[in-house]
Amino acid sequence: MNYNWNWHIFFEPNPTGAGTYLDMLVSGLLLTIKTALLAWIIALIFGTIVGILRSLPSKAASWIGFCYVEFFRNMPLLVQLFLWFFVLPELLPSGAGLWLKQLPNAPFWTAAIGVGLFMSARVAVQLAAGIASLPRGQKNAATALGLTTAQGYRYILLPMAFRIIMPPLTSEFLNTVKNTSVAITIGLIELTGQARAMQEFSFQVFEAFTAATVMYLAINIVVVTGMRFLERSLAIPGYITGK
Amino acid sequence: MIEISHVNKWYGPSFQVLKDCTTSVAKGEVVVVCGPSGSGKSTLIKCVNALEPFQEGQIILDGIKVNDPKTDLPKLRARVGMVFQHFELFPHLRIIENLCLAQEKVLGRSHDEAVAKGDKLLERVGLKAHANKYPAELSGGQQQRVAIARALAMDPIAMLFDEPTSALDPEMISEVLDVMVDLAHEGMTMMVVTHEMGFASKVAHRVIFMDKGEIVEDAQKKDFFGSPRSDRAQKFLSKILSH
């Protein structure tokens, strides 16, 4: 292989005239973090709501939850982003569609919401499984004390269910971070996008993607460490993962 | 206090778990419900505070119809204490928090008031030293005593016990029964599903014997142990009293 290695490339000025190649990658890294965090918040909020719906005895509620989950988890993420970005504005009344197309930072918002909704279906399934894994008597005990269904979820079922699903939830958080890279296809210049731009400008493809890999790894190490810490601080003395 | 009249309940279209059950529990009365497993005794007691719905008949609790759609069930349930076979303490809450949660969220008591009440009841069941532990750090008998204290913290007008000692090691049964005997002597209205015939002969006023969803025998204690009229009750008694 006739390849000209150059690890100093990161400190050379990039052709946009704003700083070095490293600065380019770091700005991509920051955008990846921002997109992933917003997407994760959306995934948690919608995933919690839909997960609760799926666990309710009401047939209508669990049917709505079922449809939501199957809609968002059975379509490839890439197709979903294309739908939100290219198709949705055309389907809306022309005024709303135009407004959507002209929205500043449209790729960012589309990516965060698109990845967030995609991941929310997965969070919902896990939360529903976590709730289902609790002894049925827990719900009965909460009910018998006079707690309403909402209070039962808020104070009893959800705190336990979230503790139980913490390990798979960590994986979903990591997937959220990695899935933001798909947003390169709708023009979001996040970490993968910046690595590709660096490769195109400098032809140092290995250096660019090595750096991107290391940065993804770094984010995810932070996520894993943070979630482990959270898991440990929420552990219940004497109970399953406790102590 | 508790009026159960002509209650019928089906699981699915064909399986009838309760067949025309009619009985009552007067204020200050202790009624023991016994019978072989699968006879519907747990189902019946769960119908009293509407943890289980039933299709026909009616149950009136302190003048309020349980199976009336207009009844504020959480409010009604808060006035009836219930103790479960598997304790059902909330594992993520400390013992004292288990006692305070419903007092604060359902009865609207202040935190200090709830803690004071909780402390008093823990002292009464001999567990004040464990107030800051988590349920999993206590033995089964201790957990069940906490569960009784948790129910009493709501100042209930009646207590329902659903096989409170069935999940306990033999040496822990008596510590739970002692608490229940004290309660009975204080004049608490109690409906107790149990196989503990010693408890029944000591404090019960009446004994109800159920088999296959029917109330086969509903008699004063001395009549029940002296000369149960039905064959089935006689067989049941001879089996559980022979050892």
Side-chain angles (χ1 to χ4, degrees), chain A residues 17 42 78 108 117-118 125 159 169 194 240:
Chain A
I42 292 170
L78 183 61
F108 168 73
L117 293 180
F118 176 77
V125 171
L169 222 46
Q194 293 288 18
I240 35 174

Coordinates of all heavy atoms in Angstrom, one line a residue, chain A residues 17 42 78 108 117-118 125 159 169 194 240:
Chain A
G17 N -10.2 27.9 6.5 CA -9.6 29.0 7.1 C -9.9 29.3 8.5 O -9.4 30.3 9.1
I42 N -35.3 13.0 24.1 CA -36.6 12.7 23.4 C -36.9 11.3 23.6 O -38.0 10.9 23.8 CB -36.4 13.1 21.9 CG1 -36.3 14.7 21.8 CG2 -37.6 12.6 21.1 CD1 -36.0 15.2 20.4
L78 N -32.3 5.2 8.6 CA -32.0 6.0 7.4 C -33.3 6.5 6.7 O -33.5 7.6 6.4 CB -31.1 5.3 6.5 CG -30.6 6.0 5.3 CD1 -29.8 7.2 5.7 CD2 -29.8 5.1 4.4
F108 N -30.0 19.5 12.1 CA -29.8 19.2 13.5 C -31.1 18.7 14.1 O -31.2 17.7 14.8 CB -29.2 20.4 14.2 CG -29.2 20.3 15.7 CD1 -28.3 19.4 16.3 CD2 -30.1 21.0 16.4 CE1 -28.3 19.3 17.7 CE2 -30.1 20.9 17.8 CZ -29.2 20.0 18.5
L117 N -36.9 9.6 18.2 CA -38.2 8.9 18.1 C -37.9 7.4 17.8 O -38.5 6.5 18.3 CB -39.1 9.5 17.0 CG -39.7 10.8 17.3 CD1 -40.5 11.3 16.2 CD2 -40.5 10.8 18.6
F118 N -36.9 7.2 16.9 CA -36.4 5.8 16.6 C -36.0 5.1 17.9 O -36.5 4.0 18.2 CB -35.3 5.9 15.6 CG -34.7 4.5 15.3 CD1 -35.3 3.7 14.4 CD2 -33.5 4.1 15.8 CE1 -34.8 2.4 14.1 CE2 -32.9 2.9 15.5 CZ -33.6 2.0 14.6
V125 N -40.1 -0.4 24.7 CA -40.2 -1.9 24.9 C -39.5 -2.3 26.1 O -40.0 -3.2 26.9 CB -39.6 -2.6 23.6 CG1 -39.5 -4.1 23.9 CG2 -40.5 -2.3 22.4
P159 N -39.8 3.8 39.4 CA -38.5 3.8 40.1 C -37.9 2.4 40.1 O -36.6 2.3 39.9 CB -38.8 4.3 41.5 CG -40.0 5.1 41.4 CD -40.8 4.4 40.3
L169 N -30.5 -0.1 29.1 CA -30.7 1.3 28.8 C -29.3 2.0 28.5 O -29.3 2.9 27.6 CB -31.3 2.0 30.0 CG -32.4 3.1 29.7 CD1 -33.4 2.6 28.7 CD2 -33.1 3.5 31.0
Q194 N -17.5 15.5 9.6 CA -16.2 16.3 9.6 C -15.0 15.4 9.3 O -14.1 15.8 8.6 CB -16.0 16.9 11.0 CG -17.0 18.0 11.4 CD -16.8 19.3 10.6 OE1 -16.1 19.3 9.6 NE2 -17.3 20.4 11.2
I240 N -31.3 -7.4 44.5 CA -30.6 -7.9 43.3 C -29.2 -7.3 43.1 O -28.2 -7.8 43.7 CB -31.4 -7.8 42.0 CG1 -32.3 -6.5 42.1 CG2 -32.2 -9.1 41.8 CD1 -33.0 -6.3 40.7

